[in-house]
Amino acid sequence: MYEAVAKDFSNATDLADYLVNKDLPFREAHAVVGQVVLHCIQENIYLLDLSIADFRNFSKLIEEDIYDVLAPRAVVNARDVVGGTARNRVADQMTQADKRLSESKSWIEIHAKKVNVLK
């Protein structure tokens, strides 16, 4: 999955968040990201393929740390909210799913016995 998202623009939102965190209004950050993505599409490259000089042509707010922000693992783990993609959130969801599955199996076993008793 990490390899798959390295070759798309799913990290464009993270670029916008990065710029907003640098106090650029979202409307402006959105416009910058649109320009960057359009440039990448025209050049047949992805965000992580851009040099820092390329990034800075679009916004002087972008610094070397942008590569850490746009890295697939960082993008996935940035969604650290209930139902998000962060590893710990996925682990929580898996634990809850296992618990529900176990409860469902128990319910089925109990009710299957009741049905057999009625026969």
Side-chain angles (χ1 to χ4, degrees):
M1 290 303 294
Y2 288 121
E3 289 176 21
V5 298
K7 297 300 180 190
D8 68 12
F9 294 101
S10 59
N11 54 358
T13 302
D14 297 87
L15 176 55
D17 291 343
Y18 175 88
L19 292 168
V20 168
N21 287 332
K22 298 240 178 194
D23 294 326
L24 189 66
F26 178 77
R27 179 182 55 224
E28 294 176 34
H30 186 272
V32 168
V33 172
Q35 293 170 354
V36 173
V37 170
L38 178 60
H39 170 77
C40 287
I41 290 169
Q42 290 170 339
E43 297 296 320
N44 198 30
I45 59 174
Y46 299 97
L47 296 177
L48 287 171
D49 296 328
L50 292 171
S51 69
I52 193 64
D54 292 333
F55 273 119
R56 291 185 60 81
N57 284 333
F58 295 99
S59 174
K60 300 298 180 199
L61 295 173
I62 301 174
E63 299 174 9
E64 288 283 343
D65 63 339
I66 193 61
Y67 298 106
D68 295 330
V69 171
L70 297 180
R73 285 188 193 278
V75 170
V76 168
N77 286 318
R79 303 319 184 258
D80 192 0
V81 296
V82 174
T85 57
R87 290 178 66 93
N88 61 316
R89 296 303 182 151
V90 172
D92 291 345
Q93 291 297 313
M94 291 173 66
T95 299
Q96 289 179 27
D98 285 343
K99 180 181 175 195
R100 285 191 296 270
L101 182 60
S102 177
E103 290 168 353
S104 294
K105 285 180 180 178
S106 295
W107 185 90
I108 290 168
E109 288 172 4
I110 290 167
H111 287 83
K113 288 178 185 176
K114 288 181 182 179
V115 170
N116 287 334
V117 169
L118 296 175
K119 286 187 178 180

